[in-house]
Amino acid sequence: QVQLVESGGGLVQPGGSLRLSCAASGSIFSIYAMGWYRQAPGKQRELVAYITSGDNTNYADSVKGRFTISRDRAKNTVYLQMNSLKPEDTAVYYCHAYNPSGSWGQGTQVTVSS
């Protein structure tokens, strides 16, 4: 089993920045990629970005050039740096581990509003 704990959400003004963190523990050897998803009210959960074990990354078109996913292997932590935030980025952000059982974090709220 893999446990994921997210942190770093909050309220920010449009144009601002936030950094989300996702700390993994447990059977981390089984993880072959890590991702960030988000779900806005009334909408389906969508992929924001992922990073593979080989450090290849992929982003949703809506966040390209604004968000950056990275990892600290020593800390078993994945980050999502979010810059130039827009009101439409408002959502609950979830960390996901791509492994045989597919693990999710509890989610962290990001609200972009003036």
Side-chain angles (χ1 to χ4, degrees), residues 70-85:
S70 62
R71 71 198 309 159
D72 184 330
R73 294 181 185 278
K75 295 182 179 179
N76 295 323
T77 298
V78 174
Y79 304 97
L80 185 69
Q81 178 66 44
M82 305 185 294
N83 298 328
S84 302
L85 282 160

Side-chain angles (χ1 to χ4, degrees), residues 3-84:
Q3 293 78 45
L4 303 172
V5 178
E6 300 113 332
S7 60
L11 172 65
V12 64
Q13 292 187 342
S17 298
L18 281 175
R19 189 178 79 156
L20 306 183
S21 300
C22 174
S25 61
S27 302
I28 58 174
F29 60 87
S30 66
I31 301 172
Y32 47 90
M34 294 286 294
W36 286 97
Y37 287 71
R38 67 186 180 186
Q39 188 166 18
K43 295 188 176 181
Q44 290 189 330
R45 192 172 297 189
E46 63 175 1
L47 174 67
V48 176
Y50 69 77
I51 183 167
T52 69
S53 57
D55 289 337
N56 294 312
T57 59
N58 192 51
Y59 298 89
D61 288 342
S62 59
V63 307
K64 281 181 181 177
R66 300 188 298 123
F67 291 11
T68 302
I69 189 169
S70 62
R71 71 198 309 159
D72 184 330
R73 294 181 185 278
K75 295 182 179 179
N76 295 323
T77 298
V78 174
Y79 304 97
L80 185 69
Q81 178 66 44
M82 305 185 294
N83 298 328
S84 302

